[in-house]
Structure formats: structure tokens, C-alpha cells
Amino acid sequence: MSKHAPRSEPLAGELVVRNGPDRGVTRSLLVPVTLIGSGETCDLRILDLTVRTVHCAVSVTPEGPHLRSLGGTTPVNGVPTSTRLLQTGDVVTVGPVDLEVRWRLPPGPTPNSTAGAQVVLEPDPLPDVLIGGRAA
């Protein structure tokens, strides 16, 4: 018997803004790739001169969220990296913003279930998040 409420944990994962005026804002990691940067096409926008147009990307993989820095490095827990598998509690720093990773693997198949079933994740229905500014 589970003690968790149905929505007590994120379905798969999310990034949580830990500092600044947008502290507490979250972005779910339910889509295959989440783009983070200052550009208009990014899923999570951080408007700061130190943030590249597309600063980094977080891909959802079977092992968990995978960070890839684009055009430079992105610190994870204070250590600059170009690519890394992320864990719950990791802090990704993009410009002046710290993003905490919250992740849990969805339940796996039971021993007698169809192990070859494919899971299709739907895009996040919420509008893009804009950090450090207002949407146009």
C-alpha cells in the first residue's frame, strides 16, 4: 500500500528555479528534450547577458535526464561540464540562475508484463517559462 498521494512527486522530473525573482518556478522534463537559454525558441528562457542563446539541453533518457552543454560548459554542482547524466538534487547553473533537478524513474514493467511496450510522452501543455523578463 502506497503512502504517496497521486501527485506528491513529479511524474518523471522537473527543474526548479532555486534563486532570483523567479524562485520556485518549475519546468517539467516530460518532453524528449528541454532547451535552456536566452533565445525565444528555448523551453526555459533565462534573460541574462552571460546565457547563450541555447545554453544547454536536457534530454529524457531511459537512464534519467541527460545534460548537454552547447557551445561551452555548464556547471553542475559547481563543476563545469559539457555532458552529464543528472541525478535528483543536482544543481545546474545557467548564468545567474540555479536549477535544481528533481527526478524519479517512472515505475518499470512488472516481471510478467509486456516489457517491449513503448512509452510515449506528450509535450508539456503549459506555456514556455520566461525567467528574468516578461513574455512579449
Side-chain angles (χ1 to χ4, degrees):
M1 182 162 141
S2 174
K3 294 182 181 181
H4 296 290
R7 293 190 170 228
S8 65
E9 297 181 54
L11 176 62
E14 62 188 2
L15 296 172
V16 181
V17 178
R18 289 185 44 174
N19 61 330
D22 294 302
R23 182 178 184 186
V25 169
T26 63
R27 175 67 185 177
S28 66
L29 295 174
L30 298 178
V31 294
V33 177
T34 298
L35 298 178
I36 303 167
S38 61
E40 290 183 19
T41 60
C42 289
D43 301 301
L44 197 152
R45 290 185 67 198
I46 301 172
L47 300 179
D48 187 86
L49 294 175
T50 63
V51 178
R52 296 182 296 275
T53 303
V54 180
H55 198 90
C56 59
V58 178
S59 303
V60 174
T61 71
E63 294 80 30
H66 186 267
L67 174 85
R68 179 172 305 277
S69 189
L70 304 168
T73 60
T74 300
V76 177
N77 302 324
V79 179
T81 186
S82 58
T83 182
R84 176 180 169 155
L85 186 63
L86 299 170
Q87 304 292 325
T88 291
D90 281 348
V91 177
V92 177
T93 302
V94 180
V97 177
D98 291 333
L99 304 169
E100 180 180 343
V101 177
R102 293 188 185 163
W103 180 263
R104 75 174 178 90
L105 292 173
T110 58
N112 293 327
S113 70
T114 307
Q118 182 177 1
V119 176
V120 178
L121 299 175
E122 294 295 324
D124 189 347
L126 299 176
D128 292 344
V129 177
L130 178 63
I131 296 178
R134 298 184 188 272

